[in-house]
Amino acid sequence: MKTRFDEIIVEENQIRSRISELAAQISADYQGKDPLLVCVLKGAVFFMADLAREITVPCELDFMAVSSYGSATDSSGVVRILKDLDANIEGRNVMIVEDIIDSGLTLSYLRKNLHARNPASVEVCSLLTKPSRRKVDIACKYVGFEVPDKFVVGFGLDYMEKYRNLRFIAVLPEEDS
Ligand code: IMP
Ligand code: MG
């Protein structure tokens, strides 16, 4: 499988060790705060599963699915909630767990939406960020890796629902785009 990908951006072992570092940081910052980790489906599933298992403070998991109108590779900022949280987040310390921040439009909408429910705090933990593509400024306290302005797949990230199950993160092969 790996041979199809010429440009591997982040290797499996790098992802694993970065997730351990992020989890250690979160565990230290959230002592006694019982964070609620909110996974943004589907891209963040593997990241959240690995991150949550490395976090050493009590935490809870919840899931949200949103659809952002746009093309296969660009989001429009118009976001629709397909699956809402099960939990009432009033007074909770919420951590949005995302796969990638690209334009920042999806996250900016999500943040506002969750803030309106009166949580104690809302922070963001994203596996990847593409700062060169940002359209709105978004504060993200915990970031795994910065990636260049290329469409990447793997470790949860897809191109037309493919490649989510790769153990590494690679640039989308030319023949697919
Ligand atoms: P934003 O609203 O532009 O920040 O887009 C965020 C969403 O677009 C992410 O949660 C991903 O699902 C998707 N996305 C953005 N860039 C990439 C990429 O390089 N590969 C795969 N999905 C991406
Ligand atoms: Mg996607």
Side-chain angles (χ1 to χ4, degrees), residues 9-112:
I9 301 271
V10 196
E11 294 282 0
E12 182 181 0
N13 61 346
Q14 294 177 284
I15 301 175
R16 196 176 311 128
S17 61
R18 187 71 188 116
I19 290 178
S20 297
E21 288 172 3
L22 289 171
Q25 211 182 329
I26 291 167
S27 302
D29 294 350
Y30 283 80
Q31 294 264 357
K33 292 189 172 169
D34 295 15
L36 176 72
L37 307 184
V38 172
C39 173
V40 185
L41 294 170
K42 307 170 193 167
V45 279
F46 300 116
F47 179 42
M48 164 125 131
D50 286 357
L51 184 73
R53 284 180 294 178
E54 297 275 331
I55 288 176
T56 54
V57 295
C59 65
E60 289 170 35
L61 313 181
D62 208 339
F63 297 85
M64 241 177 133
V66 297
S67 90
S68 152
Y69 294 102
S71 68
T73 58
D74 277 290
S75 82
S76 64
V78 181
V79 178
R80 192 160 54 107
I81 295 181
L82 302 177
K83 186 229 170 282
D84 207 343
L85 297 175
D86 293 331
N88 175 354
I89 62 168
E90 193 173 342
R92 298 295 308 267
N93 291 294
V94 174
M95 173 82 67
I96 303 175
V97 181
E98 252 287 28
D99 54 355
I100 188 167
I101 312 175
D102 187 34
S103 68
L105 292 168
T106 306
L107 207 49
S108 148
Y109 168 86
L110 258 185
R111 243 197 135 100
K112 263 184 225 145

